[in-house]
């Protein structure tokens, strides 16, 4: 009986393992990411020098001063925003806050009466109240 029993052929282990098949990744419709803009060392030096003079340049200043390099205004604006944030982080600039000017007790009573009559003033009414009490509009909104 031993002779009738079939022997299995010996095959290398690699031949018995399943074959790896490449799985195609499903492409999702993502918007193409814009490449990161790299400033040259000369551009950064010029931007830093201008930042020391003026931390909040106007649109005209940005376009006239830095337009000659071919950098679009939004890139320059974002550079200044990031630079101011870095300055705040390093305590070079004060934290962003609306300066609070005190409203007198008489003014607070008057505001309370006005808000009872009109609980949701329009933006123009808010501006008028801010001018009337000598405070910023944000202070009127958060009052």
């Amino acid at each position: 009986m031993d002779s009738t029993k079939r022997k299995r052929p010996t095959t290398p282990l690699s031949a018995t393992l399943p074959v790896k098949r490449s799985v195609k990744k499903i492409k999702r419709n993502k918007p193409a990411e814009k490449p990161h803009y790299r400033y040259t060392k000369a551009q950064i030096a010029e931007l830093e020098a201008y930042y020391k003079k003026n931390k909040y340049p106007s649109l005209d200043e940005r376009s006239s001063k830095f337009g000659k390099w071919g950098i679009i205004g939004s890139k320059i604006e974002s550079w200044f925003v990031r630079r101011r944030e870095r300055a705040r982080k390093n305590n070079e600039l004060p934290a962003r806050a609306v300066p609070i000017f005190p409203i007198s007790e008489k003014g607070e009573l008057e505001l309370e009466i006005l808000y009872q009559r009109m609980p949701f003033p329009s933006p123009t009414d808010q501006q008028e109240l801010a001018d009337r009490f000598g405070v910023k509009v944000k202070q009127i909104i958060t009052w």
Side-chain angles (χ1 to χ4, degrees), residues 66-108:
F66 304 106
K68 62 184 175 187
W69 285 337
I71 306 173
I72 58 175
S74 61
K75 296 290 180 194
I76 295 169
E77 182 180 0
S78 64
W79 185 90
F80 275 92
V81 168
R82 286 192 309 273
R83 180 62 180 89
R84 288 190 298 267
E85 284 298 320
R86 189 172 69 205
R88 281 188 197 96
K89 187 177 178 183
N90 296 335
N91 294 324
E92 297 168 15
L93 281 178
R96 275 193 259 175
V98 175
I100 299 199
F101 302 104
I103 299 174
S104 65
E105 288 182 29
K106 181 182 174 188
E108 283 200 16

Side-chain angles (χ1 to χ4, degrees), residues 37-72:
Y37 184 81
R38 301 280 181 193
Y39 297 96
T40 64
K41 289 181 181 181
Q43 289 172 336
I44 292 174
E46 190 73 25
L47 286 163
E48 285 288 344
Y50 197 78
Y51 176 80
K52 287 179 183 176
K53 294 178 195 171
N54 185 3
K55 292 171 180 40
Y56 296 90
S58 68
L59 177 63
D60 295 335
E61 291 171 329
R62 288 193 310 256
S63 60
S64 66
K65 181 76 175 166
F66 304 106
K68 62 184 175 187
W69 285 337
I71 306 173
I72 58 175

